[in-house]
Amino acid sequence: MNLFASGTAAERYAKGRPYFHPRVIGRVKEFLPSGEPLPRGLDVCCGTGHSSVALKEVAAHVVGADASAEMLARAPKDEVITFILAEAERLPFGVSAFDILSICQALHWLDKRKFLAEARRILRADGWLVVYDNFMTGRMAESEDFVRWFKDSYVAKFPSPRRNWVLFDEGETEGDGFHLRFVERFDNAIVFTPESLIDFLTSHSNIIAAVEGSGGDIEEVRAWLAKEIGPFFGGMGKAHFVFDAAVWCLQRAE
C-alpha cells in the first residue's frame, strides 16, 4: 500500500512538510569536487517537490520522480524541473542517464538492494547518489517533557508503519557497486507554531495510516493533537524542535 497515494494525504503533506532540504544539499554541494552544477540530476520519491527544488543547487536540470500522482499534482511549476510518475525500483531511464541522484526520507519504504541496483544502472560511472533524512526525535528545546509525550502518547496512539530503517556502514555498499564517500549526522532545529506542528504531524505516515489506511477522522485527530500539544507551548507562539538529519554520499564505482 502506498500511504501517500490519496489526495487528502498528499494535500496534508504539501501543507505540513517543512522545507529543510537546502540545508542538507548545501553540505553536499561543499563536498562535491566541482563547484559547477552537474548536468543531469534525478530526485527519486520526490513527493510534492521540495527535494527536487533543492537539488537545483547541484544540478542544472532536474527530473523529479514519484509513484503518487496526487503528490506530483502538488509539485511546483519550475522551468528546470520535469516531474514524472515512476516507481523508484523501476525507473524509465536508460543506462548512465544521470550525473547525480537524490532520495530524501524515502529509502526506508523501498527494498534497498533493488533500489541501489537501479540507481547504479542509471548513474554514469563516478556519478553520485545522495541519500538523506530528517527524523523527528521528539526533542523540543523549550520543554524536556515533550519527548516523553511524543514517545509515550503520540507514537503509542499512532504507531509507525513498518519500514526498513536506513543505515550505511563502511564497506557495506561496495558489493552494490558504490563507494561510501561522505557521511554526516547533525541536529537540525525546525521552528513550529502549534498549528504548523499539527500540520506536520498529520502529514506523518503514522497518522496517514490511521486516517486514510484505517478510516480514522482527521478532524478528530487534529482536535486531539491541539489539546495534547497546547500545554507544551504555554504562552509561546512558536517553539524549536530538534530533528536528526543524516546524509550519505555514495559514488558509483566504475
Side-chain angles (χ1 to χ4, degrees):
M1 175 185 176
N2 183 347
L3 291 171
F4 304 98
S6 74
T8 51
E11 189 67 33
R12 295 201 306 278
Y13 195 98
K15 181 181 180 182
R17 291 288 165 139
Y19 186 46
F20 73 91
H21 309 72
R23 300 180 196 176
V24 177
I25 294 298
R27 293 172 185 252
V28 172
K29 185 177 182 179
E30 292 177 4
F31 170 77
L32 294 177
S34 172
E36 297 297 320
L38 297 166
R40 302 159 298 174
L42 173 65
D43 182 39
V44 176
C45 300
C46 68
T48 57
H50 281 347
S51 49
S52 303
V53 173
L55 191 60
K56 293 196 302 179
E57 288 295 313
V58 292
H61 181 77
V62 174
V63 176
D66 198 273
S68 169
E70 292 287 354
M71 296 284 271
L72 291 173
R74 290 157 177 83
K77 305 296 182 184
D78 192 299
E79 60 182 12
V80 300
I81 304 177
T82 302
F83 290 103
I84 68 162
L85 186 66
E87 297 179 5
E89 293 153 337
R90 299 172 61 186
L91 294 164
F93 305 108
V95 174
S96 303
F98 293 95
D99 305 284
I100 187 168
L101 187 160
S102 65
I103 180 167
C104 172
Q105 296 187 287
L107 185 53
H108 49 260
W109 299 119
L110 307 178
D111 182 312
K112 187 163 73 170
R113 298 276 84 80
K114 288 182 180 179
F115 172 71
L116 289 176
E118 189 70 340
R120 190 177 193 282
R121 181 184 69 81
I122 66 172
L123 280 171
R124 64 168 169 79
D126 75 9
W128 294 95
L129 170 60
V130 178
V131 180
Y132 63 108
D133 209 336
N134 197 55
F135 178 72
M136 188 175 191
T137 64
R139 291 156 55 199
M140 177 182 181
E142 292 82 1
S143 173
E144 294 182 357
D145 293 331
F146 187 86
V147 68
R148 187 161 44 251
W149 171 85
F150 183 77
K151 294 176 180 178
D152 295 345
S153 295
Y154 172 73
V155 176
K157 186 175 180 66
F158 302 107
S160 298
R162 186 175 179 181
R163 67 194 71 196
N164 303 307
W165 294 107
V166 178
L167 286 172
F168 290 104
D169 296 322
E170 191 68 37
E172 175 198 359
T173 60
E174 299 293 326
D176 295 299
F178 286 94
H179 306 302
L180 183 60
R181 299 299 195 193
F182 173 73
V183 179
E184 185 178 11
R185 300 189 81 105
F186 58 95
D187 287 347
N188 185 23
I190 296 179
V191 176
F192 289 110
T193 65
E195 184 71 14
S196 65
L197 179 59
I198 291 171
D199 288 340
F200 171 68
L201 291 173
T202 56
S203 78
H204 270 188
S205 58
N206 307 47
I207 289 179
I208 292 172
V211 175
E212 280 78 11
S214 300
D217 186 298
I218 188 59
E219 294 307 320
E220 289 181 3
V221 172
R222 291 186 67 91
W224 180 83
L225 287 171
K227 179 182 177 181
E228 291 284 315
I229 71 172
F232 293 105
F233 281 83
M236 299 182 297
K238 59 185 179 181
H240 299 76
F241 294 82
V242 181
F243 286 66
D244 177 16
V247 56
W248 297 269
C249 288
L250 296 81
Q251 190 171 28
R252 185 190 184 280
E254 295 189 17

